[in-house]
Amino acid sequence: MKQNYIFLVLTMTLISSLTMAQTDSKIIEDFKPSTVNQPGKEFPKVNSQGYARFRIEAPTADSVRVSLGLGGKGGTKLTKSADGAWTGTTGGPMDEGFHYYHINIDGGTFNDPGALNFYGSTRWESGIEIPAHDQDFYALKAVPHGNVQQILFPSKSTNTSRRAFVYTPPGYGKEQSKRYPVLYLQHGWGEDETAWSNQGHANLIMDNLIAEGKIKPFIIVMTYGMTNEIKFGGLRNFDVTAFQTVLVDELIPYIDANFQTIAKQSHRAMGGLSMGGMETKMVTLNKTDVFSQYALLSGGTYSSEDIKDKSKVKLIFLSCGSKERPDGVKNAVVTLKNAGFNAVSYVSEGTGHEFQTWRRSLKELAPLLFKE
Amino acid sequence: MKQNYIFLVLTMTLISSLTMAQTDSKIIEDFKPSTVNQPGKEFPKVNSQGYARFRIEAPTADSVRVSLGLGGKGGTKLTKSADGAWTGTTGGPMDEGFHYYHINIDGGTFNDPGALNFYGSTRWESGIEIPAHDQDFYALKAVPHGNVQQILFPSKSTNTSRRAFVYTPPGYGKEQSKRYPVLYLQHGWGEDETAWSNQGHANLIMDNLIAEGKIKPFIIVMTYGMTNEIKFGGLRNFDVTAFQTVLVDELIPYIDANFQTIAKQSHRAMGGLSMGGMETKMVTLNKTDVFSQYALLSGGTYSSEDIKDKSKVKLIFLSCGSKERPDGVKNAVVTLKNAGFNAVSYVSEGTGHEFQTWRRSLKELAPLLFKE
């Protein structure tokens, strides 16, 4: 029903003008700056319905478009105002949560000067946040906060020092005898090791869950999945070896040597979103003595035939957005459970292949991990 | 002499065409991608002489300029190539080191899609790196690396959790009994707490100095100086109280409670660049029992009359680029020494009010700090 409504609005917008859509009585004029704008920037704005409004200054440009808003490749076409700025509103409400976008100005691709940038699509893209009904779980609150540490670890196989980010929970380091389990968490294609903290708010999700007593604290390690050399369509030939070597032979020993970890298979999990899920599946099946808990977030499924030694797997978590293929995830979990696995599915309502699905997935996954 | 040469080249470029400057036999065609480009991006490029070359795709734009290169407000005007891309080379070589810039397309301000972004001028700007003869001291090397931790500390005075970055040296945390001195290091106007790690490479400068045995390890804490509400020309009325409260009453106690610090005036230093230097001067003079070592990097000077109790000051470090006003810094240090202070001046050769001056200043400052 909502889909049909959006389609109607979009069609109207295409047939008539964007200005008409803007003055449509259905749009509530309670627009506020997106929460991921650059400091002091008023645009882009979002309203309580999920519409986004843009304003780009380029007085002598011929054409300014925003890559968001109509679903098709056209995006939202802005129109020139009397003051020389280009303005426009999306042709319909957008899904809750975070979206990447960019601006096309006279045939070139640029970022919106009003928005913060996030690494996606193999470039730093503009980001916009559509307020979600459940945004409280990743909000910055007055609770004890963990840290996100940038580490540079030696990698012989790639002959450089590589970067990773390590979330350590509140109070980490105060007692040297205290040891924590570790989740290795991967980004998707086009993204990098900054994604889970920047657009995913993994640290705030953890801080809030810990403050509410819903999870026992653990460490999260996020590094670059080396996915961006992979072109779409080339997945069948994807060789995970280079990444697996960095992760298992270089990063994990460094983490275990330098952080207060429980350096055991039973206390080590791996998860990933989208292509990071594909990597997670490959690495966990190759390295059954390294990880005991597996999570694929919009990143495929396991079948019971994939797993040779059931006793080594403590948890399989599969998730996706309701606008993806939730039946695939749900059916896979039913089959895994029937085969005797501790398997859990989660479907994020009203979201697609985007970060709101993955934020929610992390929130659902965290309490299931590292159960004694 | 070099200045005159640049002026000549600039004049020639303005009178003739940019293409002529590009084919000038004086420009060596050994251009390579800037080291701070986005992954896989070929442009902007720099050559061994310090020229920068740009390429921006915007096929139907009327005008594309780069804010760098001619010194004046005109910047480098790009010309449209047959393939629809806009290209151009700076009218002369640029100073060694890091420069902020942006692109003007048809009257609007955007970033270069090829370059990484850095927070400066109160916005995320494009950055370019002109290879410096001494770039080795901030290079990523195969040495033990410290971490840069993002912390979120509670701030009652501003009613939020505020962000800071904490550099901890290699091996930090392995022995809980080991304690470190702390340098509180501030960015300049228009920048934020990301500047010293991102464009300053403070962490790599420290890692390399420690690996060479040139300094004893210490912690660096970098937070937002709340400077960006201050307009140019309004400095006389600048009130440091709000920032001083966050720094001294909120951040320092948090750091001392959560990190392995030596929580004493004798082992606490403060430094800052440009407006961060002005803040450093104000805070250190107000809080003589908090800091014992002061550093102003292109950020003014102290006079001996400023300091009421000489016994509380262990070091005064003043620096700037040779293209700023080095005599002011040198003369102030002579006067301070005559008055009995341990004062040191440093002038960065061939650089101005930019990050290369401040990288070098940190390298010179670090070995002087926290002497027993």
Side-chain angles (χ1 to χ4, degrees):
Chain A
M1 191 60 205
K2 193 183 167 202
Q3 289 280 22
N4 288 345
Y5 170 75
I6 293 173
F7 183 72
L8 183 69
V9 172
L10 298 193
T11 311
M12 280 173 57
T13 310
L14 285 166
I15 292 170
S16 63
S17 73
L18 193 70
T19 314
M20 186 178 148
Q22 281 179 36
T23 55
D24 189 326
S25 63
K26 290 195 187 84
I27 296 182
I28 299 170
E29 288 297 329
D30 59 355
F31 286 87
K32 289 182 187 140
S34 158
T35 55
V36 290
N37 280 1
Q38 295 198 25
K41 301 289 183 186
E42 204 170 353
F43 285 89
K45 287 181 165 183
V46 292
N47 82 351
S48 57
Q49 298 163 291
Y51 285 80
R53 183 167 288 171
F54 303 92
R55 185 180 191 278
I56 303 290
E57 290 187 41
T60 63
D62 294 325
S63 155
V64 180
R65 283 171 183 276
V66 177
S67 65
L68 275 182
L70 291 183
K73 67 176 179 175
T76 299
K77 198 171 173 179
L78 306 190
T79 53
K80 198 152 133 181
S81 312
D83 65 356
W86 294 75
T87 57
T89 305
T90 52
M94 293 190 296
D95 287 350
E96 296 185 322
F98 176 85
H99 307 279
Y100 297 108
Y101 72 103
H102 53 260
I103 309 285
N104 186 299
I105 301 165
D106 288 350
T109 299
F110 301 94
N111 285 335
D112 185 336
L116 290 175
N117 302 315
F118 300 86
Y119 199 72
S121 313
T122 73
R123 59 184 296 273
W124 286 90
E125 288 250 294
S126 298
I128 192 168
E129 191 73 51
I130 305 298
H133 74 280
D134 57 348
Q135 61 189 338
D136 191 65
F137 79 84
Y138 50 88
L140 176 67
K141 297 186 195 175
V143 299
H145 292 290
N147 300 343
V148 178
Q149 309 198 24
Q150 175 193 281
I151 64 164
L152 297 167
F153 64 98
S155 166
K156 277 192 187 169
S157 72
T158 60
N159 196 30
T160 188
S161 293
R162 304 189 68 86
R163 186 169 69 166
F165 291 96
V166 181
Y167 169 82
T168 54
Y172 174 91
K174 287 199 172 175
E175 289 172 60
Q176 208 139 20
S177 59
K178 194 162 164 58
R179 301 255 150 197
Y180 300 83
V182 186
L183 166 65
Y184 289 82
L185 188 59
Q186 292 304 125
H187 59 85
W189 183 87
E191 299 170 340
D192 70 9
E193 65 273 24
T194 62
W196 267 109
S197 323
N198 283 359
Q199 47 267 52
H201 299 313
N203 55 325
L204 299 178
I205 293 170
M206 292 291 290
D207 291 346
N208 291 336
L209 287 171
I210 292 166
E212 290 168 21
K214 289 188 178 160
I215 62 169
K216 278 199 285 185
F218 58 85
I219 292 169
I220 303 181
V221 178
M222 301 154 278
T223 197
Y224 177 52
M226 304 169 76
T227 54
N228 294 343
E229 291 71 35
I230 303 153
K231 304 296 171 207
F232 286 119
L235 297 191
R236 278 171 203 278
N237 303 319
F238 178 59
D239 184 352
V240 82
T241 313
F243 170 61
Q244 183 176 283
T245 299
V246 168
L247 179 72
V248 174
D249 300 338
E250 297 171 345
L251 178 57
I252 290 178
Y254 184 88
I255 294 293
D256 284 336
N258 289 282
F259 287 85
Q260 296 173 209
T261 64
I262 302 169
K264 289 182 190 171
Q265 189 256 14
S266 58
H267 291 73
R268 206 182 282 121
M270 183 171 180
L273 71 89
S274 193
M275 271 200 57
M278 195 188 73
E279 294 184 321
T280 297
K281 181 174 173 180
M282 290 177 169
V283 173
T284 51
L285 294 178
N286 287 342
K287 298 286 178 181
T288 53
D289 289 332
V290 177
F291 304 99
S292 59
Q293 298 165 61
Y294 314 163
L296 311 185
L297 286 51
S298 307
T301 59
Y302 291 88
S303 72
S304 57
E305 294 78 46
D306 290 329
I307 295 156
K308 291 184 190 85
D309 185 350
K310 200 193 294 183
S311 70
K312 291 190 170 169
V313 185
K314 290 172 74 180
L315 173 71
I316 296 177
F317 177 90
L318 305 177
S319 76
C320 70
S322 68
K323 296 187 175 182
E324 301 189 89
R325 293 181 191 168
D327 285 347
V329 158
K330 287 183 204 162
N331 293 340
V333 163
V334 169
T335 310
L336 286 166
K337 282 179 142 174
N338 288 340
F341 287 95
N342 175 26
V344 177
S345 68
Y346 168 70
V347 175
S348 164
E349 205 49 53
T351 61
H353 200 73
E354 292 194 288
F355 245 105
Q356 192 67 7
T357 298
W358 306 321
R359 291 170 177 166
R360 289 175 180 166
S361 295
L362 176 59
K363 173 180 162 252
E364 299 298 321
L365 167 65
L368 305 174
L369 288 171
F370 312 120
K371 295 275 189 200
E372 295 304 322
Chain B
M1 190 58 207
K2 192 182 168 203
Q3 289 281 22
N4 287 344
Y5 170 74
I6 293 173
F7 184 71
L8 183 69
V9 172
L10 298 194
T11 312
M12 279 172 58
T13 310
L14 285 166
I15 293 170
S16 63
S17 72
L18 193 70
T19 314
M20 185 177 148
Q22 282 180 34
T23 55
D24 189 326
S25 62
K26 290 196 186 83
I27 297 182
I28 299 170
E29 288 297 329
D30 59 355
F31 286 87
K32 289 181 188 141
S34 158
T35 55
V36 291
N37 281 1
Q38 295 197 26
K41 300 290 183 186
E42 204 170 354
F43 285 89
K45 288 181 166 183
V46 293
N47 81 352
S48 57
Q49 298 162 292
Y51 284 80
R53 183 167 288 170
F54 303 92
R55 185 178 190 281
I56 303 290
E57 290 186 42
T60 62
D62 294 324
S63 154
V64 180
R65 284 170 183 277
V66 177
S67 66
L68 275 181
L70 291 182
K73 67 175 177 174
T76 299
K77 199 170 172 180
L78 306 189
T79 53
K80 197 152 134 184
S81 312
D83 65 356
W86 294 76
T87 58
T89 305
T90 53
M94 292 190 296
D95 288 349
E96 295 185 323
F98 176 85
H99 307 280
Y100 297 107
Y101 73 102
H102 53 261
I103 310 284
N104 186 298
I105 301 165
D106 288 351
T109 299
F110 301 94
N111 285 335
D112 185 337
L116 290 175
N117 302 315
F118 300 85
Y119 199 72
S121 314
T122 73
R123 59 185 297 273
W124 286 89
E125 288 249 293
S126 298
I128 192 168
E129 191 74 51
I130 305 297
H133 74 280
D134 58 347
Q135 62 188 338
D136 191 64
F137 80 84
Y138 50 89
L140 177 66
K141 297 185 196 176
V143 298
H145 292 289
N147 300 343
V148 178
Q149 308 198 25
Q150 176 192 282
I151 65 165
L152 297 168
F153 64 98
S155 166
K156 277 191 186 168
S157 72
T158 61
N159 197 28
T160 188
S161 292
R162 303 190 67 86
R163 186 170 68 166
F165 291 96
V166 181
Y167 169 81
T168 53
Y172 174 91
K174 286 199 172 174
E175 291 171 60
Q176 209 140 20
S177 60
K178 195 163 164 57
R179 301 255 149 198
Y180 300 83
V182 186
L183 166 64
Y184 290 82
L185 188 59
Q186 292 303 125
H187 59 84
W189 183 86
E191 298 170 341
D192 70 8
E193 65 273 24
T194 62
W196 267 110
S197 323
N198 283 359
Q199 46 267 54
H201 298 315
N203 55 326
L204 299 179
I205 293 170
M206 292 290 290
D207 291 345
N208 291 335
L209 288 171
I210 292 167
E212 291 168 19
K214 290 188 176 159
I215 62 169
K216 278 199 284 185
F218 58 86
I219 292 169
I220 302 180
V221 177
M222 301 155 277
T223 197
Y224 178 51
M226 304 170 76
T227 54
N228 293 343
E229 291 71 35
I230 303 153
K231 304 295 171 208
F232 287 119
L235 298 191
R236 279 171 203 279
N237 303 320
F238 178 59
D239 185 353
V240 81
T241 313
F243 170 60
Q244 183 176 283
T245 299
V246 169
L247 179 71
V248 175
D249 300 337
E250 297 171 347
L251 178 56
I252 290 178
Y254 184 87
I255 294 292
D256 285 335
N258 289 282
F259 288 85
Q260 297 172 208
T261 65
I262 302 169
K264 289 182 190 170
Q265 189 256 13
S266 58
H267 291 73
R268 206 181 284 121
M270 182 172 180
L273 71 88
S274 193
M275 271 200 56
M278 195 187 74
E279 293 183 321
T280 297
K281 182 175 173 179
M282 290 176 168
V283 173
T284 52
L285 294 177
N286 287 343
K287 298 287 178 181
T288 54
D289 289 331
V290 177
F291 304 99
S292 59
Q293 298 165 61
Y294 314 163
L296 311 184
L297 286 51
S298 307
T301 59
Y302 291 87
S303 72
S304 57
E305 294 78 46
D306 290 330
I307 296 155
K308 292 185 188 84
D309 185 349
K310 199 193 297 182
S311 71
K312 291 190 171 169
V313 186
K314 288 172 74 180
L315 173 71
I316 296 176
F317 177 90
L318 305 177
S319 75
C320 69
S322 68
K323 296 186 175 182
E324 300 189 270
R325 293 183 192 166
D327 285 348
V329 158
K330 286 183 204 162
N331 293 340
V333 164
V334 169
T335 310
L336 286 165
K337 281 179 144 175
N338 288 341
F341 288 95
N342 174 27
V344 176
S345 68
Y346 168 69
V347 175
S348 163
E349 204 49 52
T351 61
H353 201 73
E354 290 193 289
F355 245 104
Q356 191 68 6
T357 298
W358 305 321
R359 291 169 177 168
R360 289 175 180 165
S361 295
L362 176 58
K363 174 180 162 251
E364 298 297 321
L365 168 65
L368 305 173
L369 289 171
F370 312 120
K371 295 277 189 198
E372 295 303 322

